Every structure is written in C-alpha cells, then in structure tokens.
Amino acid sequence: MERLFLSVLHTGITAGYLILAVATARLLLKKAPKGIVCMLWIVVGLRLLCPFRIETPFGMLPAQTKSFLEQAGNGSYLSQEPETMPLSPNQKSETNAFTASKKQPAYSVTAAAAWVWLAGCTLMLAYLLLSWLRMKKRVETAVPAESQGIRFYQCGQILSPFLFGLAAPKIYVPFSVTGQDLLYVLKHEEAH
C-alpha cells in the first residue's frame, strides 16, 4: 500500500507543478484560441490519470522533491536498526531482554501517511455514495418533460438544474425555471 500511496503522491506533486505551468501559460495565452488552453488542461488530466511517468533529462520538479520521492521509493525512509557497540558480558543479558521486546515491527511515517490517505479515500467514497443515494431519493418524484426536442425532468425537490447519472445522465430542472430561461438552461445542460 505504501508504494501505491507514494505513486499517487508523486503523481499529485508533478501534476501540481504542471497545473502551475498551465495556469501561467494561460495568462500568457489570453489572445490565443480557447482550444489551445483546453489542450493544455488535457495534458494535466492525462498526467493525473496515467500511473507512469516519462523520464527526461530536464524537468520542472525541484531537486528537493525529486530526492525525497527517490528516497521514499527506495525505502530509505524506513527506520533502520542503529549500529550497536561491543558489549561486556554483564551487559549482554540486559540487552537480550531489551532487544526481544523491541522486535515488534517499526512503522514508518510513510506507512502512517498511507493509512491516513486510505482512510480519507474511504471516507470520501462513503460520502459520495451517501450523497448519490440522497440525491436519487430526492429526484424520485421528478416529472418527465420535453422542450424543443430536449428531454428533461422537472422536480420540486431541487434548487438548481443539473445532470444526474453515469451511464445515461438526465437533465433535472426545478419547477421554478420556465419560459426562455428554461430553454437556455436546457441548452447549457445539454452541452455538458
């Protein structure tokens, strides 16, 4: 699990630097076509999704970050046994009792961070599932409708329009949106 955590950490750090570069490039490319800026964000998305990295002689990652990630990847972050000094015969019996109780596995900071990360992921997935179930229950009473050839559902239990669903997302609109506003909202949601 530590390797997975370190891989995700490395991906996040490198993507963070890439996001800063794209944000800076966006400021410089204000007059460029919007498609170019979208392509830059696609590069960021690919970096976040791809588990591997391409090594190049140049890069944007600071040396401190690289050395930390390399040490963590090699396992040098793990606690190691300290070197022992030669002992006298009287001290050996005391030391044997001490080392016998000390043979429990030592946990590293990376292992603890990996467990915290896993707990956070589990909590976020549980929150996502509960929110999805709550929203599904809220839109159960939605009424199907159609306007200008766009199928949608109107519901009194929601405050703003949205898409809901994974395989076949549906447009949900509150009853309060009507007239020309409804057409604009439907076009907007359909574009998503």
Side-chain angles (χ1 to χ4, degrees):
M1 184 174 63
E2 286 181 58
R3 287 192 186 277
L4 175 64
F5 170 70
L6 288 172
S7 174
V8 170
L9 178 66
H10 182 269
T11 301
I13 289 171
T14 55
Y17 285 112
L18 190 57
I19 288 169
L20 287 175
V22 169
T24 304
R26 223 178 126 200
L27 293 174
L28 299 172
L29 298 172
K30 280 186 178 180
K31 294 185 180 182
K34 298 294 180 202
I36 292 174
V37 175
C38 288
M39 293 301 286
L40 292 174
W41 286 115
I42 287 173
V43 171
V44 172
L46 289 174
R47 177 62 196 122
L48 286 168
L49 291 174
C50 292
F52 57 88
R53 62 181 187 261
I54 299 169
E55 294 292 333
T56 60
F58 59 91
M60 298 185 315
L61 220 60
Q64 299 90 348
T65 306
K66 279 186 181 178
S67 66
F68 164 74
L69 292 170
E70 286 168 1
Q71 286 175 358
N74 293 336
S76 60
Y77 58 90
L78 295 173
S79 60
Q80 299 173 353
E81 284 290 321
E83 292 183 20
T84 56
M85 298 178 68
L87 301 172
S88 68
N90 297 343
Q91 293 174 324
K92 283 187 180 180
S93 62
E94 294 171 11
T95 305
N96 287 342
F98 176 72
T99 55
S101 67
K102 193 180 167 189
K103 289 195 178 189
Q104 298 172 352
Y107 293 103
S108 67
V109 173
T110 309
W115 282 107
V116 169
W117 170 73
L118 184 64
C121 288
T122 304
L123 287 173
M124 290 302 293
L125 284 173
Y127 176 75
L128 177 70
L129 180 64
L130 288 173
S131 296
W132 184 79
L133 290 171
R134 205 171 56 174
M135 185 57 70
K136 187 172 174 132
K137 180 142 181 76
R138 190 180 283 184
V139 297
E140 278 179 342
T141 60
V143 178
E146 189 172 334
S147 176
Q148 305 263 335
I150 302 172
R151 289 191 51 95
F152 65 98
Y153 292 83
Q154 287 187 308
C155 183
Q157 302 288 327
I158 59 175
L159 300 175
S160 63
F162 60 88
L163 284 174
F164 186 65
L166 291 175
K170 297 175 181 142
I171 300 172
Y172 289 90
V173 180
F175 282 116
S176 60
V177 179
T178 58
Q180 191 67 25
D181 290 342
L182 178 62
L183 180 62
Y184 292 142
V185 164
L186 292 175
K187 290 289 185 187
H188 174 86
E189 295 300 332
E190 190 178 43
H192 285 296

